[in-house]
Amino acid sequence: MATVVVREYDPEKDRVKVDAVERECEVGPSGELSLYTDHMGDPICRVRNCPAFLMLVAEMGEEKEIVGMIRGCIKTVTCGKRLCRNSKNIINSNNAKASTTNNNNANASSLDSRIPTKQVPVYTKVGYILGLRVPSTHRRMGIASKLVERMEEWVRESGGEYCYMATENDNVASVKLFTAKCGYSKFRTPSILVNPVFAHHLRVPRRVAVLKLCPRDAELLYRLRFSTSEFFPRDIDAVLNNKLTLGTFLAVPRGESGGGGGDRPWGGVAEFLADPPESWAVVSVWNLRDVYKLEVRGASAAKRALARASRAVDRALPWLGLPSFPELFRPFGAHFLYGLGGEGPRAGEMVRALCAHAHNLAKDHGCDVVATEVASREPLRPAIPHWKRLSCDEDLWCIKRLGEDYSDGSVGDWTKSPPGLSIFVDPREV
């Protein structure tokens, strides 16, 4: 067998060959539905916005045929939480970034007595593996294992303590590769929830006020309320200030008190947390449409006709409010909702209002679906509108500890920890 060489991706000479491998791997046999990802000329687009990223290719023979590729990124995320010993420094313990102004830090510190817990996040550096591709003609030759091993080496050399990956729960080949051959263990089973963008706008309830937060206020809110969620990115400020984040939106009952409860001027997150309404919810929107596009291939003519018909009826009679199947049989864009959370007895209602607002934003941007990913035990999951036929009830995340010479600290071995109620999915690696 010819020698397989694994090296770093070269955009100048590899792009066309990589695109051909992507097409071969993602497009299934004739007559079967398959999802094709159009990277729009940038094979590393899915990790380009991460703090550190790498793409590797495997080539074989004198022709240097590309027979596989893999992508990865490294980031620092929350892996657990501990009690804060000095409550006066809770903002520092939460690793607030320099982008948060001194005034906001002072305001947030004064809120310490009102924070429901004195727990702060425990961070670790992790690698994330995605986009592993090996054509069917070159499988069972150890190529995938070599690519994974080289990516793990890069993560380990960069100080990463763990490495994880995501795959469909029913992808037997992928699960077997990582768990049986590469030493990964099944870790979390989040749900991918996808909702179509209809041809008509959705109504946001009048009794709910939707406010757009500036990145600084959004960062403060996330750090104070959600930084102890698993996989919360330490550099959340970089995510919120990225041009692909279209905004962070806060929903509150109209007319209630609490830092801008709909009828009074917004006084900022400090005022909001000092006197919050009984119920509220928050979400941020990431524009995947400008990163890559998707396309469902292999659909029958009848399915295409049915989708076009439902869309036509929706456009002609928008006042009926009838749901229409999105045009997924051509390249389409998506918006991704991240950082979704909330509190209070009406939090579900606030979430539904935010999802309606996000739907309308996606429609105005020419997207066909709105997607999010949440923990399987997420309390707000039932309030997130989605179509089951487009969604995945149980995605699978597998994890591996890269070395045994790390300190267990206050968390211990993260791979053995029980799942929490919520999880923070970084939009930069969707």
Short mmCIF file of all heavy atoms in Angstrom, two decimals, residues 228-266:
data_model
loop_
_atom_site.label_atom_id
_atom_site.label_comp_id
_atom_site.label_asym_id
_atom_site.label_seq_id
_atom_site.Cartn_x
_atom_site.Cartn_y
_atom_site.Cartn_z
N THR A 228 -21.12 29.46 34.16
CA THR A 228 -20.85 28.16 34.77
C THR A 228 -21.47 27.02 33.96
O THR A 228 -21.40 25.86 34.37
CB THR A 228 -21.37 28.10 36.21
OG1 THR A 228 -22.76 28.44 36.24
CG2 THR A 228 -20.60 29.07 37.10
N SER A 229 -22.11 27.33 32.83
CA SER A 229 -22.64 26.28 31.96
C SER A 229 -21.50 25.58 31.24
O SER A 229 -20.51 26.21 30.85
CB SER A 229 -23.60 26.88 30.91
OG SER A 229 -24.71 27.49 31.53
N GLU A 230 -21.62 24.28 31.03
CA GLU A 230 -20.58 23.54 30.34
C GLU A 230 -20.31 24.11 28.95
O GLU A 230 -21.23 24.50 28.24
CB GLU A 230 -20.99 22.07 30.19
CG GLU A 230 -20.69 21.21 31.40
CD GLU A 230 -20.86 19.74 31.09
OE1 GLU A 230 -21.80 19.39 30.36
OE2 GLU A 230 -20.06 18.94 31.59
N PHE A 231 -19.03 24.17 28.60
CA PHE A 231 -18.56 24.62 27.29
C PHE A 231 -18.75 26.13 27.06
O PHE A 231 -18.62 26.60 25.93
CB PHE A 231 -19.22 23.83 26.15
CG PHE A 231 -18.78 22.40 26.09
CD1 PHE A 231 -19.53 21.40 26.70
CD2 PHE A 231 -17.63 22.04 25.43
CE1 PHE A 231 -19.13 20.07 26.65
CE2 PHE A 231 -17.21 20.71 25.37
CZ PHE A 231 -17.97 19.72 25.99
N PHE A 232 -19.05 26.89 28.12
CA PHE A 232 -19.12 28.34 27.97
C PHE A 232 -17.74 28.86 27.58
O PHE A 232 -16.75 28.59 28.25
CB PHE A 232 -19.56 28.98 29.29
CG PHE A 232 -19.67 30.48 29.24
CD1 PHE A 232 -20.84 31.10 28.81
CD2 PHE A 232 -18.60 31.28 29.62
CE1 PHE A 232 -20.94 32.48 28.76
CE2 PHE A 232 -18.69 32.67 29.56
CZ PHE A 232 -19.87 33.27 29.13
N PRO A 233 -17.62 29.61 26.46
CA PRO A 233 -16.29 30.06 26.01
C PRO A 233 -15.76 31.22 26.85
O PRO A 233 -16.47 32.19 27.11
CB PRO A 233 -16.56 30.52 24.57
CG PRO A 233 -18.01 30.91 24.56
CD PRO A 233 -18.70 29.99 25.54
N ARG A 234 -14.53 31.07 27.28
CA ARG A 234 -13.93 32.12 28.10
C ARG A 234 -13.85 33.44 27.35
O ARG A 234 -13.95 34.51 27.94
CB ARG A 234 -12.53 31.68 28.54
CG ARG A 234 -11.89 32.57 29.58
CD ARG A 234 -10.58 31.96 30.05
NE ARG A 234 -10.01 32.71 31.15
CZ ARG A 234 -8.91 32.35 31.80
NH1 ARG A 234 -8.29 31.23 31.43
NH2 ARG A 234 -8.44 33.07 32.78
N ASP A 235 -13.70 33.37 26.03
CA ASP A 235 -13.62 34.59 25.22
C ASP A 235 -14.98 34.94 24.64
O ASP A 235 -15.10 35.27 23.45
CB ASP A 235 -12.58 34.43 24.11
CG ASP A 235 -12.95 33.34 23.11
OD1 ASP A 235 -13.72 32.43 23.48
OD2 ASP A 235 -12.48 33.41 21.96
N ILE A 236 -16.01 34.91 25.45
CA ILE A 236 -17.37 35.20 24.98
C ILE A 236 -17.44 36.58 24.36
O ILE A 236 -18.25 36.83 23.45
CB ILE A 236 -18.39 35.08 26.14
CG1 ILE A 236 -19.83 35.29 25.64
CG2 ILE A 236 -18.06 36.04 27.27
CD1 ILE A 236 -20.31 34.26 24.66
N ASP A 237 -16.59 37.50 24.81
CA ASP A 237 -16.59 38.84 24.23
C ASP A 237 -16.21 38.81 22.76
O ASP A 237 -16.75 39.56 21.94
CB ASP A 237 -15.63 39.75 25.00
CG ASP A 237 -14.22 39.19 25.09
OD1 ASP A 237 -14.09 37.99 25.38
OD2 ASP A 237 -13.26 39.95 24.87
N ALA A 238 -15.26 37.91 22.38
CA ALA A 238 -14.88 37.79 20.98
C ALA A 238 -16.04 37.27 20.14
O ALA A 238 -16.20 37.67 18.97
CB ALA A 238 -13.67 36.87 20.85
N VAL A 239 -16.84 36.37 20.70
CA VAL A 239 -18.00 35.85 19.98
C VAL A 239 -19.03 36.94 19.76
O VAL A 239 -19.55 37.14 18.67
CB VAL A 239 -18.63 34.66 20.74
CG1 VAL A 239 -19.80 34.07 19.95
CG2 VAL A 239 -17.58 33.59 21.02
N LEU A 240 -19.34 37.67 20.82
CA LEU A 240 -20.39 38.69 20.76
C LEU A 240 -19.99 39.88 19.88
O LEU A 240 -20.86 40.53 19.30
CB LEU A 240 -20.72 39.18 22.17
CG LEU A 240 -21.33 38.12 23.10
CD1 LEU A 240 -21.37 38.64 24.53
CD2 LEU A 240 -22.72 37.73 22.63
N ASN A 241 -18.69 40.14 19.78
CA ASN A 241 -18.23 41.26 18.97
C ASN A 241 -17.89 40.85 17.54
O ASN A 241 -17.52 41.69 16.73
CB ASN A 241 -17.00 41.91 19.61
CG ASN A 241 -17.37 42.79 20.80
OD1 ASN A 241 -17.90 43.89 20.64
ND2 ASN A 241 -17.11 42.30 22.00
N ASN A 242 -18.02 39.56 17.24
CA ASN A 242 -17.76 39.09 15.89
C ASN A 242 -18.82 39.63 14.94
O ASN A 242 -20.00 39.73 15.30
CB ASN A 242 -17.76 37.56 15.86
CG ASN A 242 -17.23 36.99 14.55
OD1 ASN A 242 -17.87 37.11 13.51
ND2 ASN A 242 -16.08 36.36 14.62
N LYS A 243 -18.42 39.95 13.73
CA LYS A 243 -19.36 40.53 12.77
C LYS A 243 -20.49 39.56 12.40
O LYS A 243 -21.54 39.98 11.89
CB LYS A 243 -18.62 40.94 11.49
CG LYS A 243 -17.98 39.79 10.74
CD LYS A 243 -17.25 40.27 9.49
CE LYS A 243 -16.63 39.11 8.72
NZ LYS A 243 -15.92 39.57 7.50
N LEU A 244 -20.30 38.26 12.67
CA LEU A 244 -21.35 37.28 12.36
C LEU A 244 -22.45 37.25 13.42
O LEU A 244 -23.51 36.68 13.18
CB LEU A 244 -20.73 35.89 12.20
CG LEU A 244 -19.79 35.72 11.01
CD1 LEU A 244 -19.10 34.36 11.07
CD2 LEU A 244 -20.55 35.88 9.69
N THR A 245 -22.20 37.82 14.59
CA THR A 245 -23.26 37.94 15.59
C THR A 245 -24.13 39.12 15.22
O THR A 245 -23.69 40.27 15.22
CB THR A 245 -22.68 38.12 17.01
OG1 THR A 245 -22.07 36.89 17.43
CG2 THR A 245 -23.79 38.46 18.00
N LEU A 246 -25.39 38.84 14.90
CA LEU A 246 -26.31 39.88 14.46
C LEU A 246 -26.97 40.61 15.61
O LEU A 246 -27.66 41.61 15.40
CB LEU A 246 -27.39 39.25 13.57
CG LEU A 246 -26.87 38.55 12.31
CD1 LEU A 246 -28.02 37.93 11.53
CD2 LEU A 246 -26.09 39.52 11.44
N GLY A 247 -26.76 40.14 16.82
CA GLY A 247 -27.32 40.83 17.97
C GLY A 247 -27.65 39.86 19.09
O GLY A 247 -27.81 38.66 18.89
N THR A 248 -27.74 40.40 20.28
CA THR A 248 -28.21 39.66 21.46
C THR A 248 -29.51 40.32 21.90
O THR A 248 -29.57 41.55 22.06
CB THR A 248 -27.18 39.71 22.59
OG1 THR A 248 -25.97 39.08 22.15
CG2 THR A 248 -27.70 38.99 23.83
N PHE A 249 -30.53 39.51 22.11
CA PHE A 249 -31.87 40.03 22.35
C PHE A 249 -32.41 39.52 23.68
O PHE A 249 -32.31 38.33 23.99
CB PHE A 249 -32.81 39.64 21.21
CG PHE A 249 -32.31 40.10 19.87
CD1 PHE A 249 -31.54 39.26 19.06
CD2 PHE A 249 -32.58 41.39 19.42
CE1 PHE A 249 -31.06 39.69 17.83
CE2 PHE A 249 -32.10 41.82 18.18
CZ PHE A 249 -31.34 40.97 17.39
N LEU A 250 -32.98 40.44 24.44
CA LEU A 250 -33.54 40.15 25.76
C LEU A 250 -35.04 40.33 25.70
O LEU A 250 -35.53 41.36 25.24
CB LEU A 250 -32.93 41.09 26.80
CG LEU A 250 -33.41 40.95 28.24
CD1 LEU A 250 -32.88 39.65 28.85
CD2 LEU A 250 -32.93 42.14 29.07
N ALA A 251 -35.79 39.34 26.15
CA ALA A 251 -37.24 39.43 26.19
C ALA A 251 -37.71 39.55 27.63
O ALA A 251 -37.29 38.78 28.50
CB ALA A 251 -37.87 38.19 25.55
N VAL A 252 -38.55 40.53 27.87
CA VAL A 252 -39.11 40.76 29.21
C VAL A 252 -40.61 41.05 29.07
O VAL A 252 -41.06 41.51 28.02
CB VAL A 252 -38.42 41.95 29.91
CG1 VAL A 252 -36.96 41.66 30.18
CG2 VAL A 252 -38.56 43.23 29.07
N PRO A 253 -41.40 40.79 30.12
CA PRO A 253 -42.83 41.12 30.06
C PRO A 253 -43.01 42.63 29.93
O PRO A 253 -42.43 43.41 30.68
CB PRO A 253 -43.37 40.61 31.39
CG PRO A 253 -42.37 39.58 31.84
CD PRO A 253 -41.04 40.10 31.36
N ARG A 254 -43.79 43.05 28.98
CA ARG A 254 -44.01 44.47 28.77
C ARG A 254 -44.75 45.06 29.96
O ARG A 254 -45.74 44.52 30.43
CB ARG A 254 -44.82 44.70 27.50
CG ARG A 254 -44.90 46.17 27.07
CD ARG A 254 -45.67 46.30 25.77
NE ARG A 254 -45.00 45.64 24.66
CZ ARG A 254 -44.00 46.18 23.96
NH1 ARG A 254 -43.57 47.39 24.28
NH2 ARG A 254 -43.45 45.52 22.98
N GLY A 255 -44.22 46.16 30.47
CA GLY A 255 -44.89 46.84 31.56
C GLY A 255 -44.38 46.49 32.94
O GLY A 255 -44.70 47.17 33.91
N GLU A 256 -43.58 45.41 33.07
CA GLU A 256 -43.06 45.06 34.38
C GLU A 256 -41.79 45.84 34.66
O GLU A 256 -41.09 46.28 33.76
CB GLU A 256 -42.77 43.56 34.46
CG GLU A 256 -44.01 42.70 34.56
CD GLU A 256 -43.67 41.27 34.95
OE1 GLU A 256 -42.56 41.04 35.47
OE2 GLU A 256 -44.54 40.40 34.75
N SER A 257 -41.47 45.98 35.94
CA SER A 257 -40.24 46.66 36.31
C SER A 257 -39.06 45.74 36.04
O SER A 257 -39.21 44.55 35.90
CB SER A 257 -40.27 47.03 37.80
OG SER A 257 -40.34 45.85 38.58
N GLY A 258 -37.89 46.31 36.03
CA GLY A 258 -36.69 45.49 35.86
C GLY A 258 -35.78 45.95 34.76
O GLY A 258 -35.62 45.25 33.76
N GLY A 259 -35.19 47.11 34.92
CA GLY A 259 -34.17 47.53 33.96
C GLY A 259 -34.67 47.61 32.54
O GLY A 259 -34.07 47.09 31.62
N GLY A 260 -35.81 48.25 32.32
CA GLY A 260 -36.33 48.37 30.97
C GLY A 260 -37.34 47.31 30.65
O GLY A 260 -37.21 46.61 29.66
N GLY A 261 -38.34 47.15 31.48
CA GLY A 261 -39.35 46.13 31.29
C GLY A 261 -40.32 46.47 30.20
O GLY A 261 -41.49 46.10 30.28
N GLY A 262 -39.89 47.19 29.17
CA GLY A 262 -40.75 47.44 28.03
C GLY A 262 -41.29 48.84 27.98
O GLY A 262 -41.47 49.40 26.92
N ASP A 263 -41.55 49.47 29.12
CA ASP A 263 -42.19 50.78 29.13
C ASP A 263 -41.29 51.88 29.68
O ASP A 263 -41.71 53.02 29.77
CB ASP A 263 -43.48 50.73 29.96
CG ASP A 263 -44.56 49.90 29.28
OD1 ASP A 263 -44.46 49.74 28.05
OD2 ASP A 263 -45.46 49.42 29.97
N ARG A 264 -40.11 51.55 30.09
CA ARG A 264 -39.20 52.59 30.58
C ARG A 264 -37.84 52.41 29.94
O ARG A 264 -37.51 51.31 29.47
CB ARG A 264 -39.10 52.54 32.10
CG ARG A 264 -38.24 51.45 32.67
CD ARG A 264 -38.36 51.42 34.19
NE ARG A 264 -37.26 50.68 34.77
CZ ARG A 264 -37.26 50.28 36.03
NH1 ARG A 264 -38.31 50.54 36.80
NH2 ARG A 264 -36.23 49.63 36.53
N PRO A 265 -37.03 53.48 29.88
CA PRO A 265 -35.74 53.39 29.18
C PRO A 265 -34.86 52.29 29.74
O PRO A 265 -34.86 52.01 30.94
CB PRO A 265 -35.14 54.78 29.41
CG PRO A 265 -36.31 55.66 29.67
CD PRO A 265 -37.30 54.82 30.40
N TRP A 266 -34.11 51.66 28.84
CA TRP A 266 -33.19 50.60 29.23
C TRP A 266 -32.02 51.21 29.96
O TRP A 266 -31.32 52.08 29.45
CB TRP A 266 -32.73 49.84 27.99
CG TRP A 266 -31.60 48.89 28.20
CD1 TRP A 266 -30.33 49.00 27.75
CD2 TRP A 266 -31.66 47.65 28.91
NE1 TRP A 266 -29.58 47.92 28.13
CE2 TRP A 266 -30.37 47.06 28.85
CE3 TRP A 266 -32.67 46.97 29.61
CZ2 TRP A 266 -30.08 45.84 29.44
CZ3 TRP A 266 -32.37 45.75 30.19
CH2 TRP A 266 -31.09 45.21 30.10
#
